[in-house]
């Protein structure tokens, strides 16, 4: 796809695979997949996991890369953690 995929992991047992890399996320981890980056998810036997996915237009994402991406990432993390607490 031609957009960034931002995944905030909220629970379950999965692994994300991209190329030769395998990442097993923990609660609150944020994964960012750039456009055209092949990736897949491997689920546990139950196949149940929880996450929030944001699709971000490439031009907008690149415009943010000039210096405040860490701040955006922290604000996104804080927002999603607050939302998860409210959900629980």
């Amino acid at each position: 796809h031609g957009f960034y995929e931002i995944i905030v992991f909220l629970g379950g047992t999965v692994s994300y695979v991209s190329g030769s890399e395998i990442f097993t996320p923990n609660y609150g981890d944020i994964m960012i997949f750039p456009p055209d980056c092949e990736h897949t998810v491997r689920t546990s036997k139950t196949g149940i996991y929880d996450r929030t996915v944001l699709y971000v237009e490439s031009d907008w994402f690149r415009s943010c890369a000039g210096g405040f991406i860490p701040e955006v990432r922290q604000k996104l993390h804080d927002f999603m953690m607050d939302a998860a607490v409210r959900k629980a």
Side-chain angles (χ1 to χ4, degrees), residues 5 33 36 38 41 46 54-55 66 69-71 86:
E5 185 174 347
F33 294 101
D36 303 317
E38 291 187 31
V41 64
T46 65
L54 302 170
Y55 301 106
I69 285 295
E71 289 83 0
R86 287 192 304 271

Side-chain angles (χ1 to χ4, degrees), residues 1-7 31-40 53-58 62:
H1 40 75
F3 48 82
Y4 282 83
E5 185 174 347
I6 302 172
I7 301 171
M31 294 155 285
I32 301 173
F33 294 101
D36 303 317
C37 174
E38 291 187 31
H39 57 280
T40 188
V53 181
L54 302 170
Y55 301 106
V56 179
E57 183 181 326
S58 297
R62 280 193 297 274

Side-chain angles (χ1 to χ4, degrees), residues 6-84:
I6 302 172
I7 301 171
V8 180
F9 187 75
L10 299 174
T13 304
V14 299
S15 294
Y16 285 88
V17 180
S18 180
S20 63
E21 299 292 321
I22 300 173
F23 178 69
T24 303
N26 295 302
Y27 177 82
D29 283 346
I30 298 173
M31 294 155 285
I32 301 173
F33 294 101
D36 303 317
C37 174
E38 291 187 31
H39 57 280
T40 188
V41 64
R42 293 182 186 163
T43 62
S44 66
K45 289 184 181 184
T46 65
I48 299 172
Y49 66 106
D50 193 14
R51 80 270 187 224
T52 296
V53 181
L54 302 170
Y55 301 106
V56 179
E57 183 181 326
S58 297
D59 290 341
W60 183 86
F61 192 90
R62 280 193 297 274
S63 73
C64 294
F68 73 93
I69 285 295
E71 289 83 0
V72 170
R73 182 182 175 114
Q74 186 61 50
K75 287 181 181 182
L76 175 63
H77 180 270
D78 294 347
F79 172 79
M80 296 312 301
M81 294 304 98
D82 289 345

